[in-house]
Amino acid sequence: MLSDILRRRTTRLLTVVLALLAAVAVPVVPAHSATTRVPIFLEVRGDNNQKLSGIYGWIEFNDSTTYTYQFYLCRESSYSAAGGYVLINDRATTRASYSLNYGNTDIAECRYPAQLYGMTDYAGSTVTNVTVEVEGVNFNGQNQATWKRRSSTYDNPFN
């Protein structure tokens, strides 16, 4: 009788120890982030490296078809209004475009007030990447104005 009790306790103890060893032996897989936020810092420059305009903010991929962005667009030395664009899937589709002379929010990156833009966009199909572009017009003082652009493409990690 005493040996049966010891055998059962030993068996239970052995089961618990094996379960603990199995739990330790299984590699821990990090949880998949619900979203991935990436900073946006784009400036376009003209003659003498003067800043024409800039976009500052972030983009966040929510899943394979939805993304959210928020950025400030500012005009600094651009001859005309600064332009900002958000495009998806290698510029196949323009999702949003903005243009402004001056905004209403002071930010550290800009000499003049910037304008805040943002939205959550459900594309309706797979978003492989999003491109953010900023543009400004350089005027060289000799009646020559040229458009200057700078862009950055952000890949969707959910694809």
Side-chain angles (χ1 to χ4, degrees):
M1 173 119 163
L2 185 58
S3 65
D4 286 337
I5 293 173
L6 285 176
R7 191 176 328 121
R8 278 187 243 139
R9 285 189 182 172
T10 304
T11 303
R12 286 183 195 151
L13 182 60
L14 185 58
T15 303
V16 170
V17 169
L18 288 175
L20 288 174
L21 286 174
V24 171
V26 174
V28 177
V29 177
H32 190 17
S33 174
T35 60
T36 303
R37 185 176 286 193
V38 180
I40 300 170
F41 186 94
L42 289 172
E43 294 179 341
V44 64
R45 297 188 173 269
D47 294 343
N48 301 319
N49 203 30
Q50 68 186 25
K51 181 170 39 169
L52 301 174
S53 54
I55 286 180
Y56 313 95
W58 52 264
I59 185 165
E60 184 172 83
F61 292 96
N62 305 315
D63 55 36
S64 64
T65 61
T66 308
Y67 62 96
T68 302
Y69 63 87
Q70 181 175 306
F71 61 77
Y72 286 96
L73 172 62
C74 73
R75 173 184 180 189
E76 195 156 304
S77 299
S78 180
Y79 183 66
S80 64
Y85 304 92
V86 178
L87 308 108
I88 64 167
N89 297 342
D90 298 316
R91 302 176 187 242
T93 306
T94 300
R95 298 305 293 185
S97 62
Y98 307 100
S99 181
L100 87 150
N101 280 317
Y102 299 101
N104 56 15
T105 306
D106 290 328
I107 63 172
E109 295 84 0
C110 297
R111 182 184 320 161
Y112 304 111
Q115 186 66 43
L116 179 64
Y117 298 97
M119 71 178 287
T120 297
D121 187 11
Y122 172 71
S125 62
T126 301
V127 176
T128 56
N129 60 56
V130 175
T131 299
V132 178
E133 183 174 84
V134 63
E135 69 181 11
V137 177
N138 183 61
F139 187 73
N140 68 2
Q142 299 173 3
N143 294 328
Q144 293 178 337
T146 55
W147 287 97
K148 301 284 186 177
R149 291 179 176 83
R150 185 155 181 232
S151 65
S152 185
T153 300
Y154 305 92
D155 290 328
N156 188 343
F158 292 100
N159 295 322

